[in-house]
Amino acid sequence: MTSRNAVVAPGRTAVAKRGRGPWPLVAAATLVVALIVVSLTVGVYDLRAQEFGSEMSWITRVPRTLALVLAGAAMATSGLVMQMLTQNRFVDATTSGTTEWAALGLLVTVLLFPAATLATRMVAASCAAFIGAMLFMTILRRIPIRTMLVVPLIGIMLGAVVSAVTTYLAVQFNMLQMVGTWFMGSFTAVVRGRYEVLWVVAIVTLLVFVLADRITVAGLGKDVATSVGVRYDLILIAGTALVAVAAGVTTVVVGFLPFLGLVVPNVVSMIRGDNVRSNLPWVCCGGIALVIVCDLIGRTIRMPFEIPVSMVLGLVGSVVFITLLLRQRRG
Amino acid sequence: MASIVRLADTGLPPLAPAPRLGWVTRALPIVVVFALALVLAILILSYGNPAPFGSSGYWTIVRSRSGSLATIALVAVCQAVATVLFHTATSNRILTPSILGFDALYVLTQTALVFAFGTAATGLEGIPKILAQSGLMVLFATVLYGWLFSGRRANLHLLLLVGIVLGMGFGSVSTFMQRLLTPSEFDVLSARLFGSIGKANLDYLPFAAAFVALILIFVWRRRRRYDVIALGRDVAVGLGLNYRREVVTILVLVAVLVSVSATMVGPMTFYGFLVATLAYQFARGDRHAEILPLAIGIGLVALLGATFVLKHVFAAAGLVTVIIEFIGGLLFLIVILRKGMR
């Protein structure tokens, strides 16, 4: 239990349940498409009965669903990347303080340049997230003994300290309520014209697919990676930058999405083993499906009002995460 | 750091017997801390009072300020005693009730009560209400954390992580329920949840103070038992203590103290940790007879000092808890990093 640093945990071999052809993945993708269709049809405004139906659907329903797909896929894959780079199963943007840094960056930008455009804010948030993620990695390198559980603890505490600074600033400038609304992860305000920047995270996801093998090798540690000819430091920085961009952009557009990057990759690798390249499509599908389901729950449970997706995610995510942790205890 | 490292999370007795110290040496830090607290209290009451000394206006202002002073004192006592006892019961000095989500649990209990009974929950005023909500909280805390700590392979970091995530989860559930409340129910709830040092409910104060005083007497009478429990389960059982009963009693006390403190000023995650860690640092020995008063004194100085400085130097009195959280969080990070390196 103490120092299980290896990427492949005992009992979860890479060969588990593979070689059945593409059919399971096709089934999963069909399920995701079905969820997307459901997401398009559910809502207070009845698209068929009322006039402007098709227009409304292009103004709110389609952008919202696209935003769900993009954010879900990006956060889930960036969680996977984080877990490979830190060689730790329990790290993602939530448990490494990355989203808190993004929030701080966003707040500081808004305070310094109130007229900043959405693009400027995103760049600032991503830069702050990058600084935070690199700081986290640096601290991790300075600890010789990295147990499975100390790593996320340090990340969570770092996040707590950073968000205390954010709260301080927000209180000083009387922005506390606004900050609360910004960072409450929710797709309510996503309409045409407000989601398009999320396509940036689609690029991030694609880049993760391209770099998948190298990230896998980097996950085996610096020595192994260097000996097979991978430029470890470069991959580390590239991976961290990808995660930072995903976290920064998602935070600016929709807010915090807790536990998404943590739960999905872990569940996928529990079922399928640890081959990153073949797991990536599954992680994408899983992320999209989880976000859409949580959003649907939030939308329907108290119609015509909405419950932000981050609350449903926080609830589902913490239960799954604790189950994962306690399984470790028994194992 | 010496005293932190010695007991740490091993549950083993100290390596060397504590040197024999005269009571004057032992009491010195406690006396110093309480003297400092007294000076700060007088400063808070009298500094920057616009009315001339001795006039009736002067005393009115002093009286209104003494309300927040009493709140601070009560919170300091609750958090310090709860954290030190919790450290004793779990034989380590990192886990604290707030980090493990006790505060979030309190918020959840309150929300659940309003969720279940609606505005009728206001009908339960006074002693029945307090008994009902404390009872619910105590029951929940004892079952949940008793179960978590009873595991044989209970790993310190695992518990800590589970506790933090539980806290986040409780937070999500509470916010979730709050969204489902009607506006009038939400008003009832927020009146209960979001206290602060400036506007604590003073009607509740005498009752809470009496209650906490009773707990303090109870704890003080058992201070020697707690010294034994701090030595860890095996030693305590070997010395003839009913270990399980004592630990459950402590968990109940902690739940009550945390709920009193949370009612007064709302959740504060790292304050207890900060206070207890500093107390271990400055204490001359490991006995509860020294650590408990010292922790209370440090808690008083920290809160009073932060209040005074923020009010008169930075003109930002609402931020006391945020500042303490920031410093406490940094300290916590440092302690964790040092333990990670060992």
Side-chain angles (χ1 to χ4, degrees), chain B residues 57-195:
Chain B
Y58 185 88
W59 293 114
T60 313
I61 291 176
V62 167
R63 212 170 298 131
S64 78
R65 285 182 182 181
S66 65
S68 60
L69 203 66
T71 312
I72 290 177
L74 208 58
V75 169
V77 170
C78 286
Q79 291 276 358
V81 173
T83 310
V84 170
L85 284 188
F86 198 75
H87 284 175
T88 300
T90 54
S91 298
N92 78 81
R93 290 180 170 185
I94 285 211
L95 301 175
T96 72
S98 310
I99 297 176
L100 283 189
F102 266 66
D103 281 335
L105 181 59
Y106 170 79
V107 173
L108 179 63
T109 328
Q110 295 296 304
T111 313
L113 276 177
V114 175
F115 188 72
F117 299 110
T119 41
T122 39
L124 308 160
E125 275 306 327
I127 297 175
K129 177 189 109 184
I130 290 163
L131 285 183
Q133 69 197 29
S134 297
L136 195 56
M137 158 111 182
V138 165
L139 188 74
F140 201 5
T142 320
V143 170
L144 185 64
Y145 294 102
W147 169 69
L148 271 180
F149 288 116
S150 64
R152 276 209 159 201
R153 292 189 203 146
N155 169 312
L156 174 68
H157 293 123
L158 176 72
L159 281 179
L160 194 41
L161 207 54
V162 169
I164 291 171
V165 176
L166 264 182
M168 291 184 191
F170 289 154
S172 280
V173 180
S174 311
T175 333
F176 189 82
M177 284 187 184
Q178 284 165 16
R179 284 270 167 153
L180 301 182
L181 295 176
T182 64
S184 58
E185 287 169 342
F186 185 75
D187 283 347
V188 170
L189 182 68
S190 52
R192 284 191 191 183
L193 287 187
F194 307 111

Side-chain angles (χ1 to χ4, degrees), chain B residues 198-214:
Chain B
K199 46 183 187 216
N201 184 0
L202 294 183
D203 302 336
Y204 178 66
L205 204 63
F207 183 78
F211 199 51
V212 171
L214 281 181

